Amino acid sequence: HEQENQLTLSGMKHLGRIRTSMTGLDAGCGRGGSSLMIASKTGCRMTGINLSPYQVRTARRMAADRRLSARVKFLQGNMLRFPFPEGGFDFIWACESTEHVPRLEDWFRRSSRLCVKGGRMVVIAWVKDPTRPGARRAARLTDSAYVTQVHEDAEYEPPRDCGWRRVGRVDFTAAAARYWRLRSRSAHATGTERFMTPAFASGAMRYVLYTNERRMLGSWS
């Protein structure tokens, strides 16, 4: 839990300066931990969207328990079909959610409509490295267990005409390997540690943070 919190704190630094007047989108928010931490640390407003009704209910309860319901809201929905206005967010956070997107090009094009000029998007993702032995098997086991479609690093480069441009990339694979080794010794291990731990230790799977900035185009792309 502490390592996951530290990941959010590290990732927040790549969003730039977050002011209290800003509103951020947590795309694929899970149970809302990142939204709540970003809002509580910066004073901004956050909106989280997630497919799971159970996770959305849990996130709303956590927001209420922390007295953050006025600044943090959670919606059930598809992160590729946004019920939000164009340019409605100052930044976007997507942690371990783009693995559930079949085509990343769709994600880049649709998410760019939501962010203001100069706004940032941080994506943190499991990434397969096809140059490493066992990458195909690791991705297949991961996809089966987590209902994902793990992408390669090259797929996280935004198309040139989509409205985003890459401004940063940080490889957290070494930290992820330590995390999975710790999980494999935990009483709360789920079983996926048996293949996730060696996959990250070998580099067949990588854990990468990508920072993208919203460019101004002649029209919304």
Side-chain angles (χ1 to χ4, degrees):
H1 177 69
E2 180 62 26
Q3 285 183 321
E4 291 174 349
N5 286 344
Q6 288 301 318
L7 172 67
T8 299
L9 291 173
S10 296
M12 285 172 56
K13 298 175 184 178
H14 297 269
L15 289 169
R17 182 176 173 230
I18 302 174
R19 298 184 294 274
T20 57
S21 59
M22 288 183 170
T23 300
L25 172 67
D26 187 350
C29 64
R31 289 175 291 178
S34 293
S35 290
L36 296 170
M37 181 174 289
I38 293 171
S40 64
K41 293 291 184 182
T42 68
C44 74
R45 295 179 178 272
M46 292 293 298
T47 296
I49 186 168
N50 197 56
L51 275 178
S52 166
Y54 158 73
Q55 290 187 329
V56 170
R57 288 196 301 270
T58 302
R60 289 171 176 168
R61 184 170 65 249
M62 292 172 61
D65 290 345
R66 289 159 177 74
R67 298 181 180 179
L68 288 171
S69 297
R71 286 195 285 118
V72 185
K73 62 181 180 180
F74 296 101
L75 306 175
Q76 184 186 351
N78 187 325
M79 61 184 278
L80 285 178
R81 290 193 285 272
F82 302 107
F84 307 120
E86 294 185 349
F89 294 98
D90 297 289
F91 62 88
I92 298 174
W93 174 269
C95 182
E96 296 184 14
S97 56
T98 51
E99 296 90 336
H100 298 277
V101 175
R103 287 197 345 136
L104 288 178
E105 182 176 345
D106 294 337
W107 160 252
F108 284 122
R109 293 189 184 282
R110 295 177 187 180
S111 62
S112 69
R113 295 174 175 269
L114 303 180
C115 201
V116 299
K117 177 187 176 183
R120 288 197 166 189
M121 174 171 68
V122 164
V123 174
I124 304 173
W126 300 339
V127 180
K128 61 185 176 184
D129 184 346
T131 68
R132 298 297 182 98
R136 182 176 298 179
R137 178 177 182 272
R140 184 177 69 251
L141 291 170
T142 302
D143 290 344
S144 176
Y146 290 101
V147 197
T148 53
Q149 183 173 318
V150 175
H151 303 282
E152 297 180 16
D153 184 72
E155 296 177 75
Y156 280 95
E157 183 68 36
R160 296 183 66 179
D161 63 345
C162 76
W164 293 111
R165 67 182 178 96
R166 170 84 60 80
V167 295
R169 180 187 181 279
V170 182
D171 193 319
F172 285 136
T173 303
R178 292 193 296 271
Y179 167 84
W180 284 101
R181 283 197 296 270
L182 179 62
R183 270 188 57 154
S184 68
R185 301 193 299 268
S186 170
H188 301 288
T190 63
T192 59
E193 295 81 9
R194 64 182 173 80
F195 58 85
M196 297 294 273
T197 302
F200 281 101
S202 69
M205 292 274 286
R206 309 200 71 81
Y207 199 63
V208 184
L209 180 149
Y210 303 94
T211 307
N212 301 289
E213 189 170 272
R214 182 67 172 91
R215 302 178 299 163
M216 177 57 75
L217 302 179
S219 60
W220 290 104
S221 53

